[in-house]
Amino acid sequence: MPRTVIIGGGAAGIGAAGGVKAVDKNNEVIVYTEFEDVAYSPCGIPYVHGKEIDDFQSLFLAEKEAYVRAGIDIRYETRVNGIDIHDKVVHVEREGTVRWDRLVLATGFDYADPDVPGSDLDGLYYVKNIRRAMEWDKILDTVKHAVVVHATPLGVEMVTALAHRGIETHLIDPNPWALADVADPDIMAPVEESWREMGATLHFNTDLKAFLGEGRIRAVQTSEGELPADVAVIATHKVPNNALAAEAGLELGSTGGVVVDQTMATSTPGVYAAGDVAELPHGVSGIGLQGLTGSHAYAQGKVAGTNAGGGTKNYQPVYIPWATPAGKWIIGGASFGETTATALGIPHVVGQAQGISRARYFPGVKPVKVKLIAEPKSLKLIGAQMVGGEGIKERADFLATAIKFGLTMRDLASMENVYSPAIGALNEPIVLAATNGVETHGTG
Amino acid sequence: MPRTVIIGGGAAGIGAAGGVKAVDKNNEVIVYTEFEDVAYSPCGIPYVHGKEIDDFQSLFLAEKEAYVRAGIDIRYETRVNGIDIHDKVVHVEREGTVRWDRLVLATGFDYADPDVPGSDLDGLYYVKNIRRAMEWDKILDTVKHAVVVHATPLGVEMVTALAHRGIETHLIDPNPWALADVADPDIMAPVEESWREMGATLHFNTDLKAFLGEGRIRAVQTSEGELPADVAVIATHKVPNNALAAEAGLELGSTGGVVVDQTMATSTPGVYAAGDVAELPHGVSGIGLQGLTGSHAYAQGKVAGTNAGGGTKNYQPVYIPWATPAGKWIIGGASFGETTATALGIPHVVGQAQGISRARYFPGVKPVKVKLIAEPKSLKLIGAQMVGGEGIKERADFLATAIKFGLTMRDLASMENVYSPAIGALNEPIVLAATNGVETHGTG
């Protein structure tokens, strides 16, 4: 019986386990995880902290028994200490040497080490594991001052959550605006304004210098001064958990992620990687990307597992639809924005418009700003950014697909749209933005 | 100075007027309308009746002065009695003979005559004009029993509105389910259930026989018995208001709509038609369609006006994204559903799934059912139907575009989607439906 060993029990690891079993029920599948649980949604944690979701219990997806029934052998709280590519074994804590025919690396990410004095103090919260989150949630009841370190996607969610919870929250980030690696400043401006309305204080162009305190944090030292802190949420950028891969000699990419082909196979025969530890090419720029979403991790895991199990499935270049609540708004987009296109030196033009989500007279109508990024002349879409009140996630899915299939601003300017007062305006904001792009940059 | 005469002041006529002026400010534009107003949203009327919008005033879009400033000469409450193609004049009530260089027919629709005894009684409400709607809204305050005649799109909105308002509402329709020309029975089943929960009574497979009463309606006679009625809402199907066109000898299509080419030009040089009076080919089947939405009418008017004004603009075949609240649900789709595909004899396969709108644990999560209709083997999309709680309008826009650009179920099965607990589930319902289609009907 061929055996697939999977290292990691997150979305990628569980996706891989299911992928193997879908191809061949008789394939033996062992999943190693350092944690107590596998089947829960870590993405929900900020919303429980923000009191938008009642309790952590609802984040659990399946009983452990369900995996037993599916023939997936999960070894909880069990660390894998090394991979031997030559002998096709892993070295497992307590178990010793375990052989594999196929190996899937799904070791995920860690937050980048803040690498400043005081990083060993109590009171630094790395949002990741649900059991730790449950403990931290009790601590948050006693917290008056919180500092969120860096306006990454998690940082954005945590500022929103802590402010919503009523904690006096400060955000520090070295960039001039929030989510600067992903979003344009004009998209983030209304979000930042809404955070201020919610009572949060934002410190941009501000470097982290140290965590201050005796045993426990009492303040955060920044380039612009000291901020009182009962807790510091460390939302630094995600780095791939690549120690095992590096030690085993797998090829790593420019992000530190494991290089994979479209079957999620690594440079080593029989070894696959998926999720936050893997590096994937961006569909437009070809640049290596790492640390995408749980949805990407799960899909990658499924592809890796299918191929590991003897089936055939390809993962395609990513165009990255994304969206998230931020302050009182929803932001989102696909591929990249104007700032990133400029930074990458990709020639581009922009079409943009401020539209609305319903008929202007219908209760609950919300603004929807759409920015489309396109190649000059052909006006072929290469990116999109949005900020608005509703329908952002569905538009982001659409625009990522439009980019993938080569649609142009002209195509979107002439697209039909639903008009129904309670749910859609006469003019779809995407159409308005595309029309603006064609009128401004179309050559006829 | 070239003169464009536009007959009709609805979305198509106003779109056409703007289209002409956008090409050439010096082009003279005269719009004739039988009504007191032009710039309002008739689509909002059911929602005022349903008390979801506070008042009719908010439905007005622009002051009459705005059109004067734009150089558009609107002649209110002025009927055009005839068109002379040969001499290029229209015969206008009170004004006599008025010459034109270009003519745009935007005469809209009427509800099909119920053509049963009692059609001349008071108490039959044809929902169309805002001034009449204001009067009817006062009458509705005194109404105990209402009968809605036919489960057309307007009928669906009016049953929902009247039931929401607390009126005892009966719906009669000759078909076995609501919106049978557009939607599949499984899409409408939850809607019908929710109408019953709202207190409405549904009579399908039921023919209208007569309106009963002396001077004023007191009941509706149906094939299944008599229903008490203080008002009957006549939501029969839309027929093109084609009398002027027919008399002038313009070519009419199978729906009775005026045949137009992609520039919205009719069979007669210099004469254009747009909106509910025009007939357009369906993008998939090529079958003539008429009576689409206000959004279509406005876009068609703009194309007609642009070309009438000396510019160049093409209108493209329609794929008809549609969506509307219905009972406690939102329904929608693009192109056609399973029932229509079967009726048209178009070979097809179906992929479907019951998904959700947010993470399963996030407050406000709603079901989203997606059905995709595709060509056998190629699995190229030809239609879609949905019922759910949110995001239906945006998905309908997306799916209509996907059909237009030839995407397949395979393309949608491997599409990326946003996963963010508050706004999107791990698995996008469209992806689930496409995956089901590929697994059921894909050949490998």
Side-chain angles (χ1 to χ4, degrees):
Chain A
M1 191 162 64
R3 175 190 287 171
T4 301
V5 164
I6 298 167
I7 310 177
I14 293 301
V20 173
K21 284 290 178 184
V23 174
D24 181 5
K25 268 189 195 164
N26 295 320
N27 208 316
E28 186 182 357
V29 175
I30 305 176
V31 178
Y32 290 104
T33 172
E34 296 172 27
F35 301 106
E36 304 92 328
D37 313 283
V38 296
Y40 67 88
S41 169
C43 308
I45 292 171
Y47 300 91
V48 186
H49 289 328
K51 306 258 187 212
E52 297 198 67
I53 298 172
D54 284 343
D55 61 68
F56 286 98
Q57 282 313 316
S58 61
L59 303 191
F60 284 96
L61 300 163
E63 300 290 326
K64 293 185 173 181
E65 185 55 35
Y67 294 99
V68 176
R69 280 196 304 272
I72 296 169
D73 180 1
I74 301 181
R75 312 280 172 91
Y76 298 93
E77 300 181 72
T78 306
R79 180 183 294 270
V80 173
N81 291 319
I83 301 168
D84 188 328
I85 297 297
H86 186 262
D87 291 340
K88 292 198 164 188
V89 295
V90 284
H91 303 290
V92 182
E93 177 187 37
R94 292 189 307 273
E95 296 187 8
T97 297
V98 177
R99 72 156 183 90
W100 48 263
D101 298 294
R102 297 282 182 275
L103 181 69
V104 180
L105 266 167
T107 46
F109 74 97
D110 269 323
Y111 296 105
D113 186 346
D115 201 21
V116 295
S119 293
D120 56 343
L121 290 174
D122 284 346
L124 271 57
Y125 177 22
Y126 293 81
V127 182
K128 194 171 170 190
N129 175 274
I130 194 164
R131 304 270 174 149
R132 303 302 87 70
M134 291 173 178
E135 294 160 15
W136 272 102
D137 201 65
K138 287 176 198 138
I139 296 172
L140 288 177
D141 282 337
T142 70
V143 161
K144 290 213 161 37
H145 305 280
V147 173
V148 175
V149 176
H150 296 175
T152 57
L154 176 73
V156 165
E157 289 181 311
M158 286 301 294
V159 171
T160 304
L162 297 177
H164 190 257
R165 190 173 173 135
I167 293 172
E168 192 185 317
T169 304
H170 291 254
L171 169 68
I172 67 169
D173 192 274
N175 299 298
W177 67 87
L179 215 58
D181 289 346
V182 178
D184 291 337
D186 52 328
I187 296 298
M188 296 309 293
V191 173
E192 292 169 8
E193 189 186 325
S194 75
W195 276 333
R196 290 187 193 102
E197 283 166 17
M198 292 166 77
T201 310
L202 313 178
H203 308 266
F204 293 113
N205 302 304
T206 299
D207 292 323
L208 174 69
K209 291 295 182 185
F211 301 106
L212 308 177
E214 303 285 320
R216 189 162 183 87
I217 192 172
R218 64 163 177 78
V220 173
Q221 182 70 51
T222 80
S223 55
E224 310 300 312
E226 204 177 300
L227 300 170
D230 305 312
V231 61
V233 175
I234 312 303
T236 48
H237 69 271
K238 290 171 162 189
V239 293
N241 222 329
N242 61 9
L244 284 176
E247 209 185 338
L250 300 184
E251 186 189 343
L252 303 182
S254 58
T255 64
V258 178
V259 172
V260 291
D261 66 14
Q262 59 186 7
T263 68
M264 306 304 292
T266 68
S267 56
T268 298
V271 181
Y272 298 81
D276 288 318
V277 77
E279 177 177 304
L280 277 298
H282 185 287
V284 172
S285 66
I287 288 171
L289 294 175
Q290 169 275 331
L292 301 173
T293 70
S295 172
H296 288 94
Y298 185 77
Q300 291 168 18
K302 246 183 140 173
V303 170
T306 300
N307 293 310
T312 306
K313 202 173 178 128
N314 284 341
Y315 191 72
Q316 302 180 8
V318 292
Y319 295 84
I320 326 155
W322 64 276
T324 183
K328 297 177 179 175
W329 296 89
I330 314 286
I331 54 174
S335 180
F336 42 60
E338 206 179 346
T339 309
T340 307
T342 303
L344 294 174
I346 296 175
H348 63 277
V349 296
V350 175
Q352 54 190 311
Q354 180 69 60
I356 50 178
S357 63
R358 308 176 177 188
R360 141 203 74 68
Y361 51 77
F362 206 91
V365 58
K366 304 234 171 90
V368 177
K369 177 177 178 166
V370 175
K371 274 177 82 175
L372 300 174
I373 324 293
E375 290 177 1
K377 287 187 185 165
S378 74
L379 300 190
K380 210 177 116 179
L381 283 190
I382 56 173
Q385 299 250 307
M386 293 175 281
V387 55
E390 50 186 352
I392 300 296
K393 117 91 186 168
E394 293 83 1
R395 287 183 179 92
D397 290 350
F398 174 18
L399 290 169
T401 303
I403 295 167
K404 181 173 183 178
F405 286 90
L407 270 63
T408 68
M409 282 181 172
R410 288 186 189 88
D411 295 330
L412 295 185
S414 64
M415 79 178 241
E416 289 167 84
N417 67 263
V418 171
Y419 168 42
S420 182
I423 53 175
L426 179 63
N427 296 303
E428 161 57 34
I430 291 173
V431 177
L432 294 174
T435 302
N436 169 262
V438 172
E439 285 173 355
T440 315
H441 305 289
T443 46
Chain B
M1 192 162 64
R3 176 188 287 169
T4 300
V5 165
I6 298 167
I7 310 177
I14 293 301
V20 174
K21 285 290 179 185
V23 174
D24 181 5
K25 267 189 195 163
N26 295 319
N27 208 315
E28 186 183 356
V29 175
I30 305 176
V31 178
Y32 290 103
T33 172
E34 297 171 28
F35 301 107
E36 302 92 327
D37 314 284
V38 296
Y40 67 88
S41 170
C43 308
I45 292 172
Y47 300 91
V48 187
H49 290 328
K51 306 258 188 211
E52 297 198 66
I53 299 173
D54 283 343
D55 61 69
F56 286 97
Q57 283 312 316
S58 63
L59 302 191
F60 284 96
L61 299 164
E63 300 291 325
K64 293 186 174 180
E65 186 54 36
Y67 294 99
V68 176
R69 279 197 303 274
I72 296 168
D73 181 1
I74 301 181
R75 312 281 171 90
Y76 298 94
E77 299 182 72
T78 306
R79 180 183 293 269
V80 174
N81 291 320
I83 301 168
D84 187 328
I85 297 297
H86 186 262
D87 291 341
K88 292 199 167 188
V89 294
V90 284
H91 302 290
V92 181
E93 180 185 34
R94 293 190 305 271
E95 295 187 9
T97 297
V98 177
R99 72 157 184 91
W100 47 264
D101 299 296
R102 296 282 183 277
L103 182 68
V104 181
L105 267 167
T107 46
F109 74 96
D110 270 323
Y111 296 105
D113 186 345
D115 201 21
V116 294
S119 292
D120 56 343
L121 291 173
D122 284 347
L124 271 59
Y125 178 21
Y126 292 82
V127 182
K128 193 171 171 190
N129 175 274
I130 194 165
R131 304 270 173 150
R132 302 303 87 71
M134 290 173 178
E135 295 159 15
W136 272 102
D137 201 64
K138 286 176 198 140
I139 296 172
L140 289 177
D141 281 339
T142 70
V143 161
K144 289 213 161 40
H145 305 279
V147 172
V148 175
V149 176
H150 296 176
T152 57
L154 176 73
V156 165
E157 288 180 312
M158 286 301 295
V159 171
T160 304
L162 297 177
H164 191 257
R165 189 172 173 135
I167 293 172
E168 191 185 316
T169 304
H170 291 254
L171 170 68
I172 66 169
D173 193 274
N175 298 298
W177 66 87
L179 216 56
D181 290 346
V182 178
D184 291 337
D186 52 328
I187 296 298
M188 296 309 293
V191 174
E192 293 170 8
E193 189 185 326
S194 74
W195 276 333
R196 291 187 192 102
E197 284 167 16
M198 293 165 77
T201 311
L202 314 177
H203 308 266
F204 293 112
N205 302 304
T206 299
D207 291 323
L208 173 68
K209 291 295 183 187
F211 301 108
L212 308 176
E214 303 283 321
R216 189 164 182 86
I217 192 171
R218 64 164 176 76
V220 173
Q221 182 69 50
T222 80
S223 56
E224 310 300 311
E226 203 177 299
L227 300 170
D230 306 312
V231 60
V233 175
I234 313 301
T236 48
H237 68 272
K238 289 173 163 188
V239 293
N241 222 330
N242 62 8
L244 284 175
E247 209 185 338
L250 299 183
E251 187 188 344
L252 303 182
S254 58
T255 65
V258 177
V259 172
V260 291
D261 67 14
Q262 60 187 5
T263 69
M264 304 307 291
T266 69
S267 56
T268 298
V271 181
Y272 298 81
D276 287 320
V277 77
E279 178 177 303
L280 277 297
H282 185 288
V284 172
S285 66
I287 288 171
L289 293 175
Q290 168 276 331
L292 301 174
T293 70
S295 172
H296 288 93
Y298 184 78
Q300 291 168 19
K302 245 183 141 175
V303 170
T306 300
N307 294 310
T312 307
K313 202 171 179 132
N314 284 340
Y315 191 71
Q316 301 180 9
V318 291
Y319 295 85
I320 326 156
W322 65 276
T324 182
K328 297 178 179 174
W329 296 88
I330 315 284
I331 54 174
S335 180
F336 41 60
E338 206 180 346
T339 309
T340 306
T342 303
L344 294 174
I346 296 174
H348 63 276
V349 295
V350 175
Q352 56 189 310
Q354 180 70 58
I356 50 178
S357 64
R358 308 176 177 188
R360 142 202 74 65
Y361 51 77
F362 205 90
V365 58
K366 305 235 171 87
V368 177
K369 177 176 177 166
V370 175
K371 273 176 82 174
L372 300 173
I373 324 293
E375 291 177 0
K377 287 187 185 163
S378 74
L379 301 189
K380 210 176 115 181
L381 283 190
I382 56 173
Q385 299 248 307
M386 292 175 281
V387 54
E390 50 186 352
I392 301 296
K393 117 90 187 169
E394 294 81 2
R395 287 182 178 92
D397 290 349
F398 174 18
L399 290 169
T401 302
I403 294 167
K404 181 173 182 177
F405 287 90
L407 270 63
T408 69
M409 282 181 172
R410 288 185 188 88
D411 295 330
L412 296 185
S414 64
M415 79 178 241
E416 287 168 86
N417 66 263
V418 171
Y419 169 42
S420 182
I423 54 175
L426 179 63
N427 296 303
E428 161 57 34
I430 291 173
V431 177
L432 294 175
T435 302
N436 169 262
V438 172
E439 286 174 355
T440 316
H441 306 289
T443 46

